[in-house]
């Protein structure tokens, strides 16, 4: 879709000639001048519908982006930088509701890593879901 938009933008650039103001942005006015940041919120829902994409606001993409990075256990500092937040506290405070489930997932991953590291040694878990039930392997 971006390639198609770029082709259309190039056609418009040619039509405008020297009056076209190349801002090197994806979303511009017809003559290349950057759009006001709020303008995308008015046309984005129709764009999504017209292209058969899920219903989501443009700002919702920002939250989805952040949620997916957090769930993939990406660095909070990296996420903060990508969002343009002044500090990780803002990022953490905004996305705190995702943290409890992420903590549980992190513990489960750590358990799996510990178990993988200990398999073949004298300690082996009965189950990979709990630290209880460790047995001595002879």
């Amino acid at each position: 879709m971006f390639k198609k938009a770029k082709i259309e933008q190039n056609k418009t650039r040619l039509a405008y000639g020297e009056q076209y103001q190349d801002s090197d942005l994806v979303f511009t006015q017809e003559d290349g001048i950057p759009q006001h940041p709020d303008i995308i919120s008015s046309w984005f829902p129709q764009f999504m519908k017209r292209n058969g994409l899920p219903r989501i606001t443009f700002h919702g993409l920002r939250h989805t982006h952040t949620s997916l990075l957090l769930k993939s256990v990406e660095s909070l500092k990296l996420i903060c930088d990508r969002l343009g937040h002044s500090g990780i506290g803002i990022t953490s405070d905004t996305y705190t509701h995702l943290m409890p489930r992420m903590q549980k997932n992190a513990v489960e991953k750590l358990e799996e890593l510990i178990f993988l590291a200990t398999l073949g040694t004298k300690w082996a878990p009965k189950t990979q879901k709990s630290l209880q039930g460790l047995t001595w392997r002879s």
Side-chain angles (χ1 to χ4, degrees):
M1 288 174 31
F2 280 119
K3 287 180 182 179
K4 183 180 174 183
K6 185 66 173 172
I7 290 168
E8 291 302 314
Q9 191 177 49
N10 286 336
K11 288 178 185 177
T12 304
R13 177 183 287 123
L14 288 173
Y16 271 82
E18 290 183 21
Q19 281 76 39
Y20 189 84
Q21 298 183 28
D22 191 355
S23 60
D24 199 34
L25 297 173
V26 175
F27 301 108
T28 63
Q29 296 178 42
E30 191 173 273
D31 60 358
I33 294 174
Q35 290 184 353
H36 188 277
D38 292 339
I39 197 77
I40 196 168
S41 297
S42 65
W43 67 261
F44 189 74
Q46 291 84 23
F47 170 83
M48 296 295 283
K49 185 177 181 179
R50 187 172 56 250
N51 290 285
L53 297 168
R55 185 174 176 229
I56 187 170
T57 64
F58 190 73
H59 192 72
L61 293 177
R62 178 179 172 89
H63 290 295
T64 301
H65 161 258
T66 306
S67 299
L68 292 172
L69 288 176
L70 284 167
K71 287 179 182 177
S72 71
V73 195
E74 191 54 69
S75 153
L76 197 56
K77 173 66 174 139
L78 178 132
I79 295 168
C80 167
D81 291 345
R82 289 183 61 85
L83 295 173
H85 289 165
S86 60
I88 61 173
I90 294 169
T91 309
S92 178
D93 290 347
T94 304
Y95 294 95
T96 293
H97 63 283
L98 297 175
M99 300 300 180
R101 186 171 48 180
M102 289 171 45
Q103 289 289 350
K104 183 176 185 278
N105 291 344
V107 168
E108 288 174 358
K109 284 182 182 182
L110 182 60
E111 274 187 356
E112 288 176 21
L113 289 170
I114 291 169
F115 292 149
L116 286 174
T118 58
L119 287 175
T121 65
K122 56 187 175 183
W123 290 100
K126 273 188 174 176
T127 173
Q128 291 194 1
K129 293 295 179 191
S130 172
L131 287 174
Q132 295 175 344
L134 288 177
T135 57
W136 182 262
R137 189 184 235 187
S138 45

